[in-house]
């Protein structure tokens, strides 16, 4: 029953004898299982190390079994931690190998990943590659089993900044919306846009995951893209989508909503500026100071990631503000 946990048949038999018949001294336990005392003592030592038994103090020094559900849960947790350490070591080795840019061949710049499990592991690999930033486009169709991304929460806790653009249909998916709320509460910077062109995940400028067929939720094949011109293009694609998207915020009812894009006053102000009025003239028309005009324009530029007023006007047109 517990052999897969690495206890071995004889150690498992020792533990099961304790579970069935209760606590005992090492000598009593040896009699129950019909094995030499020293052999049973070694088995008890191992079971104690693995968290399956504990011992009472002298004079009796009983060996007491830990309840199976607790002991097994602790064993699973230890094994998961060991597997996680092994996985992280593998990621570090992979990253080190692909960071040798000078020795990288053309065919090594793009990896084809096939199979749902492999694609899922590849997404996990991309997230663990990130040291500063994760960029994601989340587009339909959505997997029915979507849930909170535990790797993302861990990476955010490590200081990795997640910027995620959701397709507008995401708000209608109850499971995805609930998981997004958890991510945003943990620090994710989220935005929403209509008709995203593809799904995408990019770690810094080091590694990207791009589905080969994103029209079905199965995602049986994807590309892992290493530093090259294609990766640069994917980063540029994300930044373009990000700049046009509207910020998302968590509502009081634990839902998601797009933040108000522009007030009527700011819309009027922007229309005046686009029409060619100076700050002084626009301020006079609105009954506010030139400084107020400049401040409101600066806020709009920050909301749209615009570097100039010309770019602000372009973003306003793209978002339907004008």
């Amino acid at each position: 029953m517990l052999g897969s946990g690495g206890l071995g048949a004889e150690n498992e038999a020792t533990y099961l004898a304790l579970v069935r018949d209760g606590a005992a001294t090492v000598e009593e336990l040896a009699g129950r299982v019909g094995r030499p005392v020293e052999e049973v003592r070694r088995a008890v030592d191992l079971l104690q190390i693995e968290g399956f038994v504990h011992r009472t103090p002298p004079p009796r020094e009983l060996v007491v079994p830990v309840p199976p559900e607790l002991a097994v849960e602790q064993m699973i947790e230890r094994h998961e931690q060991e597997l996680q350490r092994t996985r992280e070591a593998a990621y570090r080795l992979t990253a080190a190998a692909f960071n040798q840019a000078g020795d990288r061949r053309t065919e090594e710049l793009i990896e084809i990943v096939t199979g749902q499990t492999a694609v899922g592991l590849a997404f996990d690999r991309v997230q663990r590659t990130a040291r500063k930033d994760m960029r994601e486009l989340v587009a339909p169709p959505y997997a029915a089993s979507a849930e909170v991304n535990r790797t993302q929460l861990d990476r955010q806790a490590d200081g990795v900044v997640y910027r995620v653009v959701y397709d507008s249909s995401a708000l209608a998916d109850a499971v995805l919306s609930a998981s997004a709320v958890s991510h945003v509460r943990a620090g994710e910077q989220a935005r929403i846009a209509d008709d995203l062109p593809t799904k995408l995940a990019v770690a810094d400028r080091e590694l990207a995951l791009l589905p080969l067929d994103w029209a079905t939720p199965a995602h049986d094949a994807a590309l892992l893209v290493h530093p090259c011109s294609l990766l640069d293009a994917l980063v540029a694609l994300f930044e373009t989508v990000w700049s046009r998207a509207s910020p998302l915020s968590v509502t009081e009812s634990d839902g998601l909503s797009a933040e108000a894009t522009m007030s009527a006053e700011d819309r009027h102000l922007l229309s005046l500026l686009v029409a060619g009025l100076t700050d002084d003239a626009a301020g006079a028309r609105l009954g506010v100071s030139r400084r107020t005009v400049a401040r409101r324009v600066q806020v709009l530029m920050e909301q749209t990631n615009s570097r100039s007023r010309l770019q602000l006007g372009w973003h306003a047109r793209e978002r339907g503000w004008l």
Side-chain angles (χ1 to χ4, degrees):
M1 179 179 68
L2 303 175
S4 60
L7 287 182
E10 292 183 349
N11 297 327
E12 179 181 339
T14 303
Y15 174 68
L16 294 179
L18 287 168
V19 172
R20 285 193 301 265
D21 302 321
T25 64
V26 172
E27 291 75 13
E28 292 169 343
L29 185 56
R32 290 180 190 176
V33 298
R35 290 161 53 198
V37 172
E38 286 305 315
E39 189 175 307
V40 172
R41 194 184 305 279
R42 288 193 295 271
V44 168
D45 289 340
L46 185 144
L47 289 170
Q48 186 172 9
I49 292 172
E50 294 295 328
F52 282 85
V53 302
H54 65 85
R55 286 168 163 158
T56 64
R60 290 212 65 191
E61 299 186 35
L62 294 176
V63 181
V64 182
V66 173
E69 68 277 12
L70 179 58
V72 170
E73 186 63 32
Q74 292 175 340
M75 178 183 69
I76 292 173
E77 184 176 345
R78 286 195 303 274
H79 287 181
E80 287 179 343
Q81 291 173 349
E82 292 172 0
L83 288 172
Q84 184 60 37
R85 287 193 290 270
T86 301
R87 176 182 293 170
E88 290 175 353
Y91 288 144
R92 289 194 295 270
L93 287 173
T94 300
F98 278 97
N99 281 339
Q100 302 299 321
D103 299 329
R104 194 179 304 152
R105 295 175 296 181
T106 302
E107 61 268 25
E108 293 178 326
L109 296 175
I110 297 177
E111 301 177 56
I112 299 178
V113 183
T114 57
Q116 287 181 256
T117 300
V119 172
L121 290 173
F123 178 49
D124 195 61
R125 171 181 167 188
V126 171
Q127 294 183 86
R128 295 186 183 281
T129 297
R131 291 295 173 264
K132 295 181 179 178
D133 305 294
M134 270 297 299
R135 303 173 174 92
E136 292 182 31
L137 300 181
V138 180
Y142 308 112
S145 60
E147 58 184 15
V148 173
N149 184 344
R150 298 294 176 185
T151 301
Q152 174 173 340
L153 297 182
D154 290 342
R155 301 301 291 131
Q156 287 182 187
D158 291 338
V160 175
V161 176
Y162 273 69
R163 288 192 292 149
V164 181
V165 181
Y166 295 90
D167 188 90
S168 55
S169 61
L171 296 184
D173 187 293
V175 177
L176 178 60
S177 181
S179 67
V181 167
S182 299
H183 299 153
V184 172
R185 289 194 183 280
E188 174 184 288
Q189 298 176 24
R191 294 190 177 186
I192 192 165
D194 293 328
D195 302 322
L196 291 184
T198 184
K199 299 175 185 289
L200 179 65
V202 184
D204 300 327
R205 290 181 177 268
E206 294 298 323
L207 189 63
L209 182 67
L210 179 69
L212 283 176
D213 178 14
W214 65 278
T216 60
H219 310 315
D220 289 328
L223 298 178
L224 276 171
V225 184
H226 296 273
C228 62
S229 58
L230 175 58
L231 181 58
D232 293 339
L234 293 175
V235 171
L237 169 65
F238 173 87
E239 294 298 342
T240 298
V241 173
W242 176 265
S243 67
R244 298 180 181 179
S246 300
L248 272 178
S249 60
V250 179
T251 66
E252 293 183 358
S253 59
D254 284 339
L256 289 174
S257 67
E259 296 179 3
T261 53
M262 180 175 286
S263 66
E265 294 81 3
D266 284 339
R267 189 186 302 273
H268 189 191
L269 167 61
L270 194 55
S271 67
L272 294 175
L273 295 177
V274 170
L277 272 69
T278 64
D279 286 6
D280 289 327
R285 184 76 64 89
L286 296 173
V288 298
S289 68
R290 180 180 183 280
R291 180 174 297 179
T292 298
V293 170
R295 183 174 64 251
R296 285 164 59 176
V297 170
Q298 183 62 36
V299 170
L300 291 173
M301 290 176 63
E302 291 174 357
Q303 289 178 349
T304 58
N305 284 336
S306 299
R307 298 179 181 177
S308 67
R309 293 192 175 193
L310 178 61
Q311 193 176 30
L312 172 60
W314 181 79
H315 283 308
R317 179 179 177 84
E318 286 293 314
R319 297 185 184 196
W321 291 354
L322 294 175

